[in-house]
Amino acid sequence: MKWNRRHFIGVLGGFVGMVCTGIGVRRALPGKAEFDDWRSLPGMSLGLELDVASPSSVAIDLVARHDGREHLVRTYRGAKHLDVEVPFVETQEESYELYAVVRDPVGRRLQSDVVEVLAQPFQFGL
């Protein structure tokens, strides 16, 4: 099949239509999500501050990243300040990373900063 001007205009029009309607474009949720500390131990309470337009309408996914993979630990309802209990995740490494993903009903997302959780604190003398 030989491409002509009509084919190029059709593809370009489809692309412009996708961009204008928001299909295929991942938009970020404006605001901030910050944990109180950058390091923690399993079982401790860790505060999460949300600075978004309507914190009661968002959902917060707590995600653990370890051994080269990620998995969802827990989902919370949105609030201005949230106390999160740090979960124990069994891993082969000395620590794992924990972060929060804030989702609004429209589908926009916001990722928090990463917290290092010491998975095996007895090795560090704690």
Side-chain angles (χ1 to χ4, degrees), residues 52-111:
V52 293
S54 58
S56 61
S57 67
V58 297
I60 302 156
D61 295 331
L62 204 59
V63 180
R65 183 182 325 160
H66 64 92
D67 299 329
R69 50 193 173 144
E70 298 178 348
H71 72 276
L72 178 68
V73 176
R74 201 172 290 134
T75 301
Y76 295 98
R77 295 184 75 125
K80 199 84 163 144
H81 178 80
L82 195 66
D83 287 324
V84 176
E85 183 180 339
V86 178
F88 175 76
V89 176
E90 191 166 335
T91 178
Q92 301 298 324
E93 300 173 3
E94 297 173 346
S95 65
Y96 67 91
E97 295 178 337
L98 185 72
Y99 62 94
V101 177
V102 181
R103 298 178 288 122
D104 71 347
V106 180
R108 297 180 296 181
R109 294 174 178 255
L110 171 68
Q111 184 173 331

Side-chain angles (χ1 to χ4, degrees), residues 29 39 45:
L29 180 65
R39 184 178 269 180
S45 180

Side-chain angles (χ1 to χ4, degrees), residues 6-27:
R6 185 177 298 159
H7 292 111
F8 285 112
I9 290 174
V11 169
L12 183 63
F15 178 72
V16 169
M18 271 183 26
V19 170
C20 289
T21 59
I23 298 173
V25 178
R26 179 172 268 181
R27 295 174 286 162

